């Protein structure tokens, strides 16, 4: 077994496993949570990857996100990975909430010293699913969806758009939708890729990626109108939809502005059921 | 307005208000959360008091308990008070997790120095509801229920049993059901009342109180079989049911042992919908 199970917690009729494993992508031990719904004891179940936002680990959403409620109903496993390597001892890695620890941005860093472990793109798209499908035979690797919040919404959109066919469903909560034009994204890409690597930046920008998408595109995206980061133009979901429209790919995008909701887990919990149902329709089809 | 509203947060179609007010019972400022369901904008709604357990404030359950999910569906307001006064500057008040700050035990202390503010019984049963009903006309004071977790389950059971007619519905999660025979309860009652005040202790012991109850008694109580505090005999729900049975009052008590569930919010979140429905049936009847 590639994973150590440090706790098994009953939740909504299923169980939440607290796991750790050695990652060759990040060169660290990585923690994550895996929710196995009750249906997984008798049959293979689809898997929804939930990518967290800045500062979070896989714990926050498993406690406050309410995804287990819908996942139990629809028979879907949920994977809650961490948001970066931890403890690489890179100078300054813990100095800011929006860069380094807790802020891996789901990219493979190319710039020293971050390239020695900040490889969350490879970790999430390759290493972690491979390890999970080897260790947990109840997970159906042919039915995988992806979602996420804020930085994790950026992760969900970009990983989905960069890997046609890998994910059968995608949704996002308050995603950073055009990071190359937003302060958070610019800081991260400058640090992980370098200031002069504009082509590399675009490879991890959902708004750039959607321009090149071919084929049908179905996405559910929720953004709260009371979200201060939306107001500060960190998220820019309109840019994403405009780019999709220009490319003729916007018809299946359901961008919903939810009145008064903020950027917190209160927002996500309120719409978690609807997102899980969105994925269930596609993963259980 | 007796309350300051420090934040208004959209949640499950309604709004969660973060409130503070001056309390004459505790001689401090007290914080709480009030969830107003969407129905409260057009009609009076019943009110469910949720009493938290050791170490908690009103925040924990509003983030992790998911009572808002059911409360929104059934049109019930939820009050999440704090668990003790804070900042009375009593020597030792912050020294232990199970006594003093965060551990008010829903009693009025009679022993110095705690009697100068550790009056959570009067605060929860009288001062706070009076202030809420004066300030929030959408709350229906004729339809009030009470629930709680662990120390708060003890609070829910004892406040219900000591005040016939005040609460129309009662439930509890992993309640400390016989505190005079459990380490947590003995420590608290010794500190707040004194070691020699056995009659006073019994006045705040659900197992003692249920012996004297007359009339119908309907209670929903959930306890996890994986709850370490249950195993350590801090909760003793069997004593409560045995006492009720001896008094001929056990027929309406639904004590459920939930396989594998622990003492955490993961447990409560899993059964919050069912508890809210239990209250809704009685408060909306």
């Amino acid at each position: 077994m590639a994973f150590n199970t440090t706790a098994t917690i009953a939740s909504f009729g299923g169980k939440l496993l607290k796991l750790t494993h050695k990652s060759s992508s990040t060169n660290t031990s990585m923690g994550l949570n895996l929710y196995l719904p009750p249906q997984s004891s008798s049959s293979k179940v689809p898997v929804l990857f939930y990518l967290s936002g800045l500062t979070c680990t896989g714990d926050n959403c498993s406690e406050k996100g309410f995804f287990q409620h819908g996942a139990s109903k629809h028979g879907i496993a949920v994977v809650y990975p961490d948001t970066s390597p931890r403890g690489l001892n890179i100078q300054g890695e813990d100095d800011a909430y929006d860069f380094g620890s807790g802020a891996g941005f789901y990219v493979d860093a190319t710039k020293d010293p971050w390239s020695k472990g900040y490889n969350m793109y490879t970790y999430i798209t390759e290493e972690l699913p491979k390890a999970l499908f080897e260790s947990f035979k109840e997970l159906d690797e042919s039915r995988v969806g992806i979602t996420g919040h804020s930085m994790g919404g950026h992760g969900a959109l970009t990983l989905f758009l960069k890997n046609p066919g890998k994910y059968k469903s995608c949704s996002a909560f308050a995603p950073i939708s055009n990071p190359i034009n937003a302060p958070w994204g610019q800081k991260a890409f400058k640090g992980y890729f370098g200031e002069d690597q504009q082509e590399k930046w675009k490879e991890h920008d959902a708004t750039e990626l959607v321009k090149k998408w071919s084929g049908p595109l179905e996405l559910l995206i929720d953004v709260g109108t009371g979200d201060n980061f939306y107001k500060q133009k960190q998220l820019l979901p309109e840019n994403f939809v405009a780019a999709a429209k220009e490319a003729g790919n916007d018809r299946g995008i359901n961008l919903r502005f939810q009145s008064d909701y903020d950027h917190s887990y209160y927002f996500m919990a309120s719409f978690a059921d609807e997102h899980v149902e969105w994925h269930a329709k596609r993963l259980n089809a």
Side-chain angles (χ1 to χ4, degrees), chain A:
Chain A
M1 172 74 81
F3 294 93
N4 286 319
T5 305
T6 60
T8 301
I9 302 167
S11 171
F12 287 105
K15 52 190 179 181
L16 188 79
L17 307 182
K18 297 202 165 276
L19 305 172
T20 61
H21 69 139
K22 293 264 183 204
S23 164
S24 59
S25 311
T26 66
N27 295 311
T28 61
S29 174
M30 292 292 285
L32 65 141
N33 294 314
L34 170 63
Y35 179 66
L36 294 173
Q39 296 86 343
S40 69
S41 61
S42 56
S43 62
K44 285 210 177 221
V45 294
V47 185
L48 178 61
F49 279 77
Y50 169 85
L51 304 183
S52 297
L54 290 167
T55 78
C56 292
T57 69
D59 289 351
N60 306 64
C61 191
S62 81
E63 294 173 0
K64 300 179 183 178
F66 203 47
F67 279 73
Q68 285 104 275
H69 180 262
S72 171
K73 179 180 170 189
H74 293 290
I76 296 176
V78 186
V79 181
Y80 304 94
D82 204 347
T83 51
S84 76
R86 307 272 174 182
L88 275 170
N89 296 318
I90 294 174
Q91 194 176 6
E93 71 183 338
D94 299 327
D95 288 358
Y97 81 97
D98 55 0
F99 188 76
S101 294
F105 265 86
Y106 308 102
V107 301
D108 289 346
T110 53
K111 199 178 159 196
D112 250 359
W114 308 101
S115 56
K116 74 183 195 187
Y118 278 73
N119 298 311
M120 291 299 289
Y121 179 79
T122 295
Y123 175 70
I124 298 289
T125 58
E126 294 178 22
E127 184 183 13
L128 177 59
K130 186 164 180 287
L132 286 169
F133 294 127
E134 278 174 11
S135 291
F136 296 94
K137 296 303 177 192
E138 56 269 62
L139 303 181
D140 184 348
E141 63 185 305
S142 72
R143 294 183 291 158
V144 179
I146 193 161
T147 186
H149 174 230
S150 194
M151 175 182 75
H154 145 76
L157 294 176
T158 55
L159 271 49
F160 177 81
L161 292 168
K162 286 172 72 67
N163 295 279
K166 187 184 270 283
Y167 304 102
K168 295 217 175 321
S169 56
C170 180
S171 75
F173 297 81
I176 302 174
S177 309
N178 189 194
I180 66 174
N181 288 314
W184 276 338
Q186 290 165 343
K187 177 175 178 179
F189 290 180
K190 186 176 162 183
Y192 294 131
F193 301 137
E195 190 149 21
D196 55 347
Q197 300 295 312
Q198 297 296 319
E199 288 308 307
K200 193 79 188 160
W201 290 32
K202 289 183 183 176
E203 287 174 24
H204 292 273
D205 182 286
T207 297
E208 292 295 322
L209 288 165
V210 79
K211 294 177 185 172
K212 299 176 195 159
W213 182 267
S214 62
L217 181 62
E218 293 188 315
L219 298 169
L220 175 63
I221 303 174
D222 278 318
V223 180
T225 64
D227 183 327
N228 282 328
F229 299 115
Y230 169 66
K231 294 177 192 171
Q232 292 163 19
K233 301 196 186 302
Q234 293 279 19
L235 309 181
L236 304 170
E238 298 92 342
N239 292 10
F240 177 75
V241 174
K245 188 169 187 175
E246 208 172 300
N249 282 328
D250 65 316
R251 285 200 313 172
I253 303 177
N254 189 5
L255 170 61
R256 309 188 301 186
F257 287 97
Q258 303 289 1
S259 283
D260 299 331
Y261 283 87
D262 63 16
H263 198 71
S264 74
Y265 284 94
Y266 287 113
F267 158 59
M268 279 211 297
S270 300
F271 300 100
D273 270 356
E274 293 178 23
H275 280 246
V276 173
E277 194 180 342
W278 166 276
H279 289 275
K281 273 190 185 156
R282 287 151 183 87
L283 297 174
N284 288 329

